[in-house]
């Protein structure tokens, strides 16, 4: 039996991508918490495997040449795990290209845009006293996130999953739909997306991966108090080191 993969993780949409995939693929793994609210992502040991100081990251003790390999960036991780497991990555090059473009769509579009929407709608009000200063950011990113939901909704018309068959594209995208309310989205506006979201979310492995480390989350970045203020400073005040 393969040695377990180390999953360096915190329960956020980017973390859920990997925990869900590992559960769906049936790969053995162990979770290594990286508390991003207190700055554990800046520790030298973590930076050695994730130089961008972002989780998730993995360490596979059984790498391609039998030696350990570390990987950061969720898209690269899922592509690697799909190749390693031989699952959820299409049956031929045409199918893999289709999957890859939706993986990149999530990484370059939905993830960053929805993330900014979260920031301006959920977190910025606790940081900036004059709410007029954040109004444009709220409008800009909410509208772009709404546009991306429309793109995905059209893609899912007549399809059970994003690329026909369940793939890593679904594992990449689904976690970023979970907080749709915080993005100012009305899910009923996107019926094909809504049906897909519920269909994927009903899968046992998806639920297990989604719940991984749920007990680690406490409070919220939009809360008051010193702990939340310190976490916001860590996450939103970063400059080059």
């Amino acid at each position: 039996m393969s040695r377990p993969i180390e999953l360096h993780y915190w329960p956020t949409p980017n973390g859920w991508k990997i925990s869900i995939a590992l559960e769906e693929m049936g790969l053995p793994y162990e979770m290594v918490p990286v508390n991003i609210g207190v700055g554990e992502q800046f520790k030298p040991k973590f930076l050695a495997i994730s130089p961008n100081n972002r989780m998730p990251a993995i360490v596979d003790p059984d790498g391609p040449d039998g030696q350990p390999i570390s990987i950061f960036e969720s898209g690269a991780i899922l592509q690697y795990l799909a190749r390693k497991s031989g699952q959820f990555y299409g049956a031929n090059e045409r199918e893999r290209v289709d999957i890859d473009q939706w993986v990149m769509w999530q990484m370059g579009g939905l993830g960053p845009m929805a993330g900014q929407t979260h920031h301006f709608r959920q977190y910025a009000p606790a940081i900036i006293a004059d709410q007029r200063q954040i109004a444009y950011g709220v409008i800009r990113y909410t509208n772009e996130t709404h546009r991306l939901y429309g793109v995905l909704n059209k893609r899912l018309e007549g399809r059970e999953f994003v690329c026909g068959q369940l793939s890593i594209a679904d594992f990449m995208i689904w976690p970023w739909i979970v907080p749709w309310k915080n993005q100012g989205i009305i899910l009923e506006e996107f019926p094909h997306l809504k049906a897909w979201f519920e269909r994927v979310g009903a899968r046992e492995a998806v639920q297990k991966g989604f719940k991984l480390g749920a007990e680690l989350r406490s409070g919220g970045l939009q809360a008051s108090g010193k702990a939340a203020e310190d976490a916001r400073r860590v996450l939103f005040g970063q400059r080059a080191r």
Side-chain angles (χ1 to χ4, degrees), residues 36-61:
I36 58 177
V38 298
E40 290 182 354
Q41 67 271 38
F42 297 108
K43 291 185 176 180
K45 186 176 180 179
F46 182 70
L47 288 174
I49 63 172
S50 183
N52 194 37
N53 56 63
R54 293 288 190 274
M55 70 87 217
I58 66 167
V59 177
D60 183 2

Side-chain angles (χ1 to χ4, degrees), residues 92-124:
N92 53 56
E93 183 62 13
R94 185 172 296 275
E95 292 180 0
R96 284 189 289 273
V97 168
D98 192 30
I99 292 167
D100 281 344
Q101 63 187 358
W102 285 97
V103 167
M104 301 307 168
W105 176 86
Q106 188 284 316
M107 293 193 68
L110 180 63
M113 295 302 103
Q116 293 295 338
T117 303
H118 291 171
H119 181 84
F120 282 98
R121 294 180 69 94
Q122 303 297 315
Y123 310 142

Side-chain angles (χ1 to χ4, degrees), residues 4 8 28 31 52 75 85 93-94 109 134 137 164 170 181 184 191 193 197 210 212-213 224:
H8 296 258
M31 188 257 287
N52 194 37
S85 69
E93 183 62 13
R94 185 172 296 275
I134 65 173
D170 299 283
K181 291 181 181 179
L193 190 160
F197 177 68
F210 172 61
L212 180 70
S224 58

Side-chain angles (χ1 to χ4, degrees), residues 22-207:
L22 287 166
E23 290 292 341
E24 285 281 2
M25 293 172 183
L27 294 171
Y29 71 96
E30 57 185 14
M31 188 257 287
V32 181
V34 180
N35 189 336
I36 58 177
V38 298
E40 290 182 354
Q41 67 271 38
F42 297 108
K43 291 185 176 180
K45 186 176 180 179
F46 182 70
L47 288 174
I49 63 172
S50 183
N52 194 37
N53 56 63
R54 293 288 190 274
M55 70 87 217
I58 66 167
V59 177
D60 183 2
D62 295 316
D65 52 4
Q67 299 299 313
I69 185 171
S70 63
I71 308 167
F72 71 103
E73 288 296 334
S74 58
I77 294 170
L78 285 194
Q79 287 171 327
Y80 170 78
L81 293 176
R83 292 192 299 267
K84 179 183 177 72
S85 69
Q87 301 177 73
F88 305 113
Y89 206 21
N92 53 56
E93 183 62 13
R94 185 172 296 275
E95 292 180 0
R96 284 189 289 273
V97 168
D98 192 30
I99 292 167
D100 281 344
Q101 63 187 358
W102 285 97
V103 167
M104 301 307 168
W105 176 86
Q106 188 284 316
M107 293 193 68
L110 180 63
M113 295 302 103
Q116 293 295 338
T117 303
H118 291 171
H119 181 84
F120 282 98
R121 294 180 69 94
Q122 303 297 315
Y123 310 142
I127 301 171
I128 300 173
D130 185 350
Q131 300 301 292
R132 293 172 297 180
Q133 295 182 25
I134 65 173
Y136 177 76
V138 170
I139 295 168
R140 164 75 178 96
Y141 289 110
T142 300
N143 286 346
E144 178 61 7
T145 301
H146 190 275
R147 184 190 73 82
L148 291 164
Y149 270 65
V151 171
L152 184 58
N153 186 63
K154 290 178 181 177
R155 171 66 178 183
L156 286 163
E157 184 175 2
R159 290 183 173 88
E160 188 173 3
F161 300 107
V162 174
C163 295
Q165 300 296 317
L166 186 67
S167 74
I168 60 172
D170 299 283
F171 306 154
M172 291 287 295
I173 297 168
W174 187 87
W176 277 101
I177 305 299
V178 169
W180 54 270
K181 291 181 181 179
N182 290 343
Q183 298 162 12
I185 297 294
I186 299 172
L187 207 58
E188 285 71 20
E189 290 184 22
F190 307 99
H192 308 303
L193 190 160
K194 182 175 184 290
W196 162 85
F197 177 68
E198 293 172 350
R199 184 161 50 247
V200 173
R203 296 177 64 86
E204 182 178 354
V206 171
Q207 280 297 309

